[in-house]
Amino acid sequence: MLKTKVGVKTKNNYKKGVNNMLWKDKYELGVPLIDTQHKELFRRVESFMQVLRAEDNWDEKIPQLNETLEFMKRYVVEHFRAEEEYQQSINYPGYEAHKEVHNGMVDYVKEVSKQYENSNYDEQLMQQFGGRLLAWLINHVAAEDQRIADYALKKGVNGND
Amino acid sequence: MIDKLYKTFVDATQNVFSLMLNLSEISDHPLESFECEDVLEVAIGFVGDLDGEVIYRFPISTSLNMVEIMSGMQFEQVDAFVTSAISEISNIISGNVLNALSSSDLQCNILTPVLLKPYENSEDKEYDLKTHTCINTSIGELCIEIRLNRIG
């Protein structure tokens, strides 16, 4: 059982075991398929961070971290593909640039995973990955993906029909 | 040019802090230098029409507060997770600056963030465009030092 100091921050303490603290309603694009996937992505990143930041011995956490990491590698690719298909369906002009950003992140995840395995599951490497992933994901969904929704709204297309 | 650049960095920081940290009220003032004992320093290299580097200085307390807002978790000290998250935010602010500059026909790229040891960076080069700004937020301040040369 992992000991964790993770939870929803209240004034003086933490409530444990509450999921999706990372997700904020303002991230919703209004495209149900993409919003559902974003929520799932945030939930998985949150689970990953809860294990990553737990106070337990690193070796004890490795199997659970590896499992979450493997899921995320698959899910990130699947989600990016769905998002790109949606962009094409509404003729989003920033499609190519957005795809490049996605590809950059997929390459980074693959590279870190490879280094992590080669390093025999080095903790520092995974902590670095966690920090960058958190900031990248929040910016990507709150800013870059929001531009897709703004375009769809402006053009009166939502691609859900 | 220097005033425009200064404003571009302040606006980019404001935009990123608002979207990512929900901090909408920030203020800025120019600085001669930034004095703070415990800082996290991240250097971002610029290449292209503007060449040089920009150094982001985050006091430890500001860094921890930022990561706590993003994660909803408690952080008591700066570790690899925190330095990486703060480096990425510096990268994101710089990316916003690039977008703003490109609309003024200035084409630049940025290099991977480099974590500096506090106040170890050398300042022996001359720069055409050199300024500091201190940005105040409700979770603490940060300093941005711009050291760039206009190429061409």
Side-chain angles (χ1 to χ4, degrees):
Chain A
M1 184 73 179
L2 291 166
K3 293 191 295 283
T4 178
K5 56 181 177 183
V6 170
V8 174
K9 273 180 77 176
T10 59
K11 194 170 179 185
N12 298 311
N13 59 10
Y14 282 80
K15 264 191 267 173
K16 288 186 180 176
V18 179
N19 244 344
N20 244 348
M21 301 174 302
L22 292 184
W23 178 260
K24 291 180 177 57
D25 288 343
K26 72 171 184 175
Y27 300 155
E28 281 196 358
L29 303 185
V31 183
L33 172 71
I34 307 298
D35 286 335
T36 304
Q37 289 190 357
H38 277 163
K39 283 177 189 167
E40 178 63 9
L41 196 54
F42 272 71
R43 199 179 67 77
R44 290 289 180 160
V45 170
E46 188 171 318
S47 304
F48 172 71
M49 282 178 26
Q50 285 181 349
V51 180
L52 183 70
R53 302 301 300 178
E55 290 173 329
D56 303 74
N57 177 282
W58 180 251
D59 289 339
E60 288 175 26
K61 300 194 283 188
I62 289 174
Q64 208 177 333
L65 277 175
N66 292 356
E67 196 184 308
T68 315
L69 194 59
E70 281 307 311
F71 171 84
M72 282 204 315
K73 273 159 63 180
R74 290 193 305 273
Y75 196 76
V76 161
V77 171
E78 189 185 316
H79 163 62
F80 285 174
R81 193 178 300 136
E83 207 180 89
E84 287 159 14
E85 281 171 8
Y86 170 70
Q87 290 175 40
Q88 284 182 309
S89 76
I90 61 166
N91 295 318
Y92 179 58
Y95 166 77
E96 289 295 340
H98 202 101
K99 189 175 163 62
E100 216 172 287
V101 172
H102 282 171
N103 289 345
M105 192 55 184
V106 170
D107 290 347
Y108 171 68
V109 174
K110 284 182 187 164
E111 181 57 31
V112 169
S113 299
K114 204 162 97 184
Q115 285 179 20
Y116 178 59
E117 279 175 37
N118 292 342
S119 70
N120 201 21
Y121 310 118
D122 177 60
E123 176 174 4
Q124 293 303 302
L125 207 55
M126 223 12 59
Q127 296 291 352
Q128 277 173 17
F129 172 68
R132 183 170 171 194
L133 178 69
L134 173 69
W136 186 92
L137 182 67
I138 291 174
N139 176 61
H140 189 68
V141 173
E144 291 169 330
D145 284 350
Q146 210 59 49
R147 284 197 276 272
I148 308 169
D150 292 345
Y151 172 80
L153 196 67
K154 201 170 129 194
K155 293 286 171 188
V157 289
N158 64 17
N160 293 320
D161 304 328
Chain B
M1 178 70 189
I2 190 77
D3 292 342
K4 190 179 165 190
L5 202 56
Y6 177 102
K7 187 175 182 312
T8 305
F9 273 90
V10 171
D11 288 349
T13 305
Q14 184 156 31
N15 184 36
V16 170
F17 275 35
S18 169
L19 284 171
M20 295 184 66
L21 306 173
N22 229 11
L23 295 173
S24 50
E25 291 195 14
I26 71 167
S27 61
D28 66 281
H29 61 269
L31 275 184
E32 283 300 313
S33 64
F34 184 69
E35 300 297 335
C36 180
E37 279 190 12
D38 295 315
V39 288
L40 204 57
E41 290 194 328
V42 181
I44 306 266
F46 275 62
V47 290
D49 292 339
L50 294 176
D51 186 274
E53 62 184 356
V54 173
I55 298 168
Y56 295 83
R57 296 196 174 92
F58 298 88
I60 299 302
S61 57
T62 307
S63 308
L64 295 175
N65 285 334
M66 287 166 68
V67 178
E68 286 193 6
I69 290 175
M70 284 194 293
S71 66
M73 296 177 181
Q74 196 173 28
F75 284 79
E76 280 156 14
Q77 59 187 23
V78 170
D79 60 13
F81 186 102
V82 175
T83 55
S84 179
I86 296 298
S87 297
E88 182 62 19
I89 289 182
S90 306
N91 195 40
I92 292 165
I93 295 171
S94 303
N96 270 248
V97 169
L98 291 193
N99 287 338
L101 292 176
S102 68
S103 59
S104 309
D105 284 335
L106 280 172
Q107 302 304 323
C108 307
N109 275 315
I110 48 174
L111 306 178
T112 307
V114 176
L115 197 65
L116 302 174
K117 288 184 181 168
Y119 299 104
E120 205 183 49
N121 60 86
S122 64
E123 218 176 319
D124 50 356
K125 276 191 187 172
E126 290 291 319
Y127 297 96
D128 311 330
L129 305 165
K130 195 167 180 316
T131 185
H132 285 78
T133 174
C134 177
I135 294 179
N136 296 297
T137 78
S138 58
I139 58 160
E141 57 184 8
L142 69 129
C143 167
I144 303 175
E145 183 180 352
I146 300 166
R147 303 171 181 182
L148 297 167
N149 285 311
R150 178 81 194 257
I151 304 294

